[in-house]
Amino acid sequence: MLIRFQGRDGQFRITVQPQDQLVSILPQIVDKLPKDVDPTSVTISPKPHGAEAHSVVSLKGVTFERLGLSHGAQIFLDYKEQAAATNGHSTSIATDARRLNGAPVPAADDPPIISVPISDTPHHISKPWEVVQQSPLDDRLDKQDGKITRPRDQKMCRHGPKGMCDYCMPLEPYDTKYLDEKKIKHMSFHGYLRKLNQGKNKPETGSSYMPPLSEPFYRVRLDCPSGHKPFPGGICSKCQPSAISLQPQPYRMVDHVEFASPNLINTILDFWRTSGAQRLGFLYGRYEEYPEVPLGTKAVVEAIYEPPQVDETDGVSLNDWENEKEIDEIARLCGMQRVGVIFTDLIDAGAGNGTVICKRHADSYFLASLEVAFASRYQAKFPRPTKWSDTGRFGSNFVTCIISGDQEGQIVVSAYQASNSAVEMIRADIIEPSADPNLMLVQDESEDAALGRVRYIPEVFYRRINEYGANVQEEAKPAFPIEYLFVTLTHGFPTQSNPTFRQANTLAAGFPVENREVIGQSQEPRALAKALGVGTKTGSKLEGEAGDKVSDFHLLCFIHALGILTKDEFAALCRVATTHDNSEKMQLQHTSGWATLITILEQSGERPPKRPSPYAHYDGDGADKHDHLAKRFQFTSLE
């Protein structure tokens, strides 16, 4: 049969048999690609955007028939160029004395090794409390007492106003009875830290201090001190991970998600209302104290940035985000950081009253296994530095929010975090999502062996209440419930909205959101000129309320992409957008970069419409001439 291959350098065809393995045609594929292509980097995908891509060399034993490919099927290729020589040193791994579970691994098979680089292995720090620099918020919470004060009990307290007894003494921030009374499902991270530290360290005894936190690690340690060769060349009890016993996480790294303005949610919902497709955006804001939970932390969201993506009615595929570091730097200049991600999962009920279908409830699921894996990858990318861990980091403050429908058909927001065990299991590639959103699959070593891959998967167990009411431990293979891998967060809006970006509180349509060309919204100099009011009386002025027109995160990102302002001038613009200081506004207004920007916009932007005559709508007989439109739009573009 004939298979079509499509790459960035063109397309070609290869005749194969259904029983042929994919690896067997790799030389034919490389011959038709540029000469400097690395054969080990060739990947195949059923979709043009590179989704579900797999390396060809990792698909040993997989035939075309097993993939369900028929005559005329099209496969999309991706590849990389070969790197320069590494100073004469070979990058291959010696195959002598390779053993897996005591049995030698044949060198002829040359299996690719799936492992984590040594640099990604967390290293223990001797005195993390002296070296690690954690966030100022964590430093403030460390200094707080955290005790929960209680008033004097009129019935049980027998002492005077200055006395104290068991009925009125302050409670610890992790007190279970108090958390149950306040309906707080999980204790805060710093409350959990106090609980561990109190049981592990006794300062009054003068003993040596030990960090109370330790990150879970489920991977084979490649730097084993026993002296044997790295896995799969050798393995021992010191470098192999222990069995994993899953249990619900009793704490959460962030307790609450606060959106600075309801318009942040309405803006991302407008895309779904216009196109019917789902949408994803990254949350930018800051972390603050949350007094509703003892020693609690909340994430305050000030802006939502929508990266390049392909939106569909049932999901979202992310494209390459080329200016990711630039957007993070702009957020840093505005006093923010990336705090999470939000995406929609909405289906219109078809009733015509704005209601949606309820997909997530107690009888179906709240967070799908695929979404847990997605959240875990981003939490692993943004770890939380702390001086109370022996590795200098523990967990992550990254949150995941979902906009979906409730049982009344109303649109609601839900907030979650993957557990620390889920993050490490995803990082170690122990689990993978399943077709059932309520179940997570455990990887099988036998399947990897059939594909020629060498791995070590530790045993995974979880505890549950059986049909007889007994708490029993069961093996997680091949799948286990998803509720062991995430925690729920609360969310809401402030009583009095006072967002950092003033444009987030306006109901009028502001500067367009990025990457929305698919629905006819694009960021252009004309849109910037209109947002800044170029050509009007206050076009170039920034003092007073006129300076609030630049208080828009999407507008700041577009101005930065133009490259007109210098680094110092753009930093001043970010301060004007966030602090609203009149002295900063005046200094920015008189800079050469701002004057150049206004001049360019005056030349390329739209002219404001002339004031109409009060008699322009009537002819000599007094007839209305509204239906005669004389407007002409020049330099229009659909780009």
Side-chain angles (χ1 to χ4, degrees), residues 38-91:
D38 184 7
T40 60
S41 67
V42 178
T43 61
I44 61 173
S45 172
K47 298 182 180 180
H49 300 289
E52 302 178 9
H54 296 278
S55 175
V56 176
V57 296
S58 65
L59 297 176
K60 288 188 176 182
V62 180
T63 62
F64 290 93
E65 184 179 15
R66 183 176 176 181
L67 291 179
L69 298 176
S70 58
H71 178 72
Q74 187 176 19
I75 298 178
F76 296 92
L77 296 173
D78 193 16
Y79 39 83
K80 299 179 181 179
E81 288 73 17
Q82 289 182 347
T86 57
N87 198 18
H89 296 280
S90 174
T91 57

Side-chain angles (χ1 to χ4, degrees), residues 176-207:
T176 305
K177 185 177 179 181
Y178 175 83
L179 297 178
D180 292 339
E181 291 177 356
K182 298 297 182 179
K183 297 182 179 180
I184 301 174
K185 191 174 182 181
H186 304 278
M187 71 179 75
S188 65
F189 165 70
H190 279 270
Y192 175 73
L193 178 61
R194 299 288 174 88
K195 182 178 181 179
L196 288 184
N197 200 24
Q198 186 177 16
K200 196 169 186 178
N201 295 288
K202 303 294 183 182
E204 60 276 5
T205 61
S207 60

Side-chain angles (χ1 to χ4, degrees), residues 506-526:
T506 60
L507 298 177
F511 189 72
V513 181
E514 59 281 337
N515 302 310
R516 287 193 174 186
E517 290 81 5
V518 68
I519 60 173
Q521 299 179 9
S522 60
Q523 293 182 338
E524 297 178 348
R526 289 181 301 173

Side-chain angles (χ1 to χ4, degrees), residues 604-624:
S604 60
E606 280 188 7
R607 293 183 178 181
K610 294 182 179 180
R611 180 179 299 176
S613 172
Y615 305 101
H617 302 299
Y618 300 92
D619 54 15
D621 299 330
D624 194 354

